[in-house]
Amino acid sequence: KMMYKGGGGVGVLGCVAEERRGEGIKGATLVFTPVGEGAVMRMADASDGIITKKSAERGGFKIKHMAEGIYKVTIKKVGYEEQSIEVAVDGSELTNLTIQLQHR
């Protein structure tokens, strides 16, 4: 389950947590893929606009610079159900995401 709060942003800030206990999940992989022609990541290490992040010790993650657009976000972690959603980044404020993963 993923909750999207806010109208978009200059970046994305969020947390990946275990659904039942709410504890942060370290090492979850988040893949942000632009949907459509207008969404291109402004990062030197982004290949074809795709960027991959891992959640930190308490499940947190941050991407500082993103172009406006719609992104498909896929979240993976061994032992948990994979999830995918779309998120809008509009360039006006930080986008906040809370992601809750279910055990398999």
Side-chain angles (χ1 to χ4, degrees), residues 4-5 9 20 40 58 67 77 85 93 95-96 103:
Y4 170 63
K5 300 177 185 175
R20 290 186 191 153
V40 177
R58 295 183 183 143
K77 172 73 176 171
I85 68 149
E93 61 185 55
T95 299
N96 292 298
H103 279 282

Side-chain angles (χ1 to χ4, degrees), residues 41-98:
M41 302 293 275
R42 287 189 217 136
M43 300 185 75
D45 61 349
S47 173
D48 296 327
I50 299 170
I51 189 159
T52 302
K53 283 293 214 184
K54 289 231 183 228
S55 59
E57 187 68 34
R58 295 183 183 143
F61 64 92
K62 181 192 257 184
I63 301 173
K64 293 183 181 180
H65 303 288
M66 295 178 75
E68 289 185 37
I70 306 293
Y71 295 86
K72 177 181 177 185
V73 184
T74 303
I75 307 96
K76 301 177 185 181
K77 172 73 176 171
V78 174
Y80 293 87
E81 295 291 329
E82 180 178 317
Q83 291 188 42
S84 293
I85 68 149
E86 288 189 356
V87 173
V89 175
D90 75 9
S92 66
E93 61 185 55
L94 190 65
T95 299
N96 292 298
L97 296 177
T98 300

Side-chain angles (χ1 to χ4, degrees), residues 12-28:
V12 176
L13 177 68
C15 182
V16 179
E18 196 276 327
E19 186 178 52
R20 290 186 191 153
R21 295 175 291 165
E23 295 176 2
I25 299 173
K26 178 183 177 182

